[in-house]
Amino acid sequence: MKIAIFLLFVGFLLGFLIDPLGRKTRYLLGEKIFKSPSRNSDNRNLTDNDRYVILKQFSEGNYSLIETWDMLKGMACNLAVSNIFLIFISLYKAFTNHSNYSEWVFFSFLAIIFSLSSLYQSHTFEKYSVLDMNAAIKMLNLEEKAEKLTVQ
């Protein structure tokens, strides 16, 4: 039980440490490969912060769903970063361990595929988040509800 709690703690710690690298990797590499839609793709005059505030205020269920997509996006980014580390480690092992050269090169090839797959999943979760956010704001007339509150 103590080991499980320790591993859980280490997992959370590593997740928090890798998260900034995951976000940077997604925006520097993932956005170049897989173009994500803008949150403002529905041509509304709302900032990202406005969108989240409106959803949280008027549609808690949709807000929770979008936060789940955003969390999954972050996890996929972190997985991509860990696979990139595996690429470097396996290439290092390939060049220093000449007896198993082909195995390490194959392992680095798999890590490249998994990195790209993770970045694609991150893109997919971002797309789901954007589409759900825009649909909720449109279908529930949330922008209009927020405007009525600010006018009063």
Side-chain angles (χ1 to χ4, degrees):
M1 182 65 175
K2 290 180 184 180
I3 292 174
I5 292 172
F6 175 74
L7 290 175
L8 186 66
F9 174 74
V10 169
F12 276 114
L13 184 63
L14 286 174
F16 283 118
L17 293 175
I18 291 175
D19 192 60
L21 291 172
R23 290 177 192 273
K24 275 287 192 208
T25 301
R26 183 188 184 297
Y27 292 112
L28 293 177
L29 183 62
E31 282 291 318
K32 289 187 184 349
I33 300 170
F34 312 107
K35 185 72 175 150
S36 293
S38 166
R39 293 210 184 266
N40 206 9
S41 59
D42 61 350
N43 298 322
R44 292 180 182 270
N45 287 329
L46 296 172
T47 65
D48 283 350
N49 290 339
D50 290 342
R51 291 171 183 279
Y52 281 102
V53 168
I54 288 171
L55 277 171
K56 189 164 185 170
Q57 180 67 32
F58 296 109
S59 183
E60 186 67 35
N62 285 311
Y63 177 81
S64 295
L65 176 66
I66 289 162
E67 282 296 301
T68 300
W69 290 131
D70 289 342
M71 178 209 48
L72 290 171
K73 175 184 71 173
M75 290 173 69
C77 292
N78 293 350
L79 188 58
V81 168
S82 65
N83 283 313
I84 290 170
F85 283 134
L86 283 176
I87 294 167
F88 289 119
I89 291 168
S90 59
L91 288 175
Y92 172 77
K93 290 294 246 177
F95 291 112
T96 59
N97 188 355
H98 299 293
S99 62
N100 294 335
Y101 175 80
S102 60
E103 292 174 7
W104 286 110
V105 170
F106 178 71
F107 189 69
S108 65
F109 177 72
L110 285 178
I112 290 169
I113 291 172
F114 290 147
S115 293
L116 292 174
S117 175
S118 297
L119 286 173
Y120 180 75
Q121 273 308 118
S122 170
H123 158 76
T124 301
F125 294 139
E126 171 76 8
K127 183 172 67 174
Y128 291 164
S129 173
V130 168
L131 292 175
D132 285 350
M133 180 180 283
N134 290 343
I137 291 170
K138 178 183 175 187
M139 298 302 288
L140 300 174
N141 297 319
L142 298 183
E143 185 176 13
E144 292 77 13
K145 288 180 183 178
E147 286 176 1
K148 286 180 185 175
L149 284 179
T150 56
V151 171
Q152 293 175 354

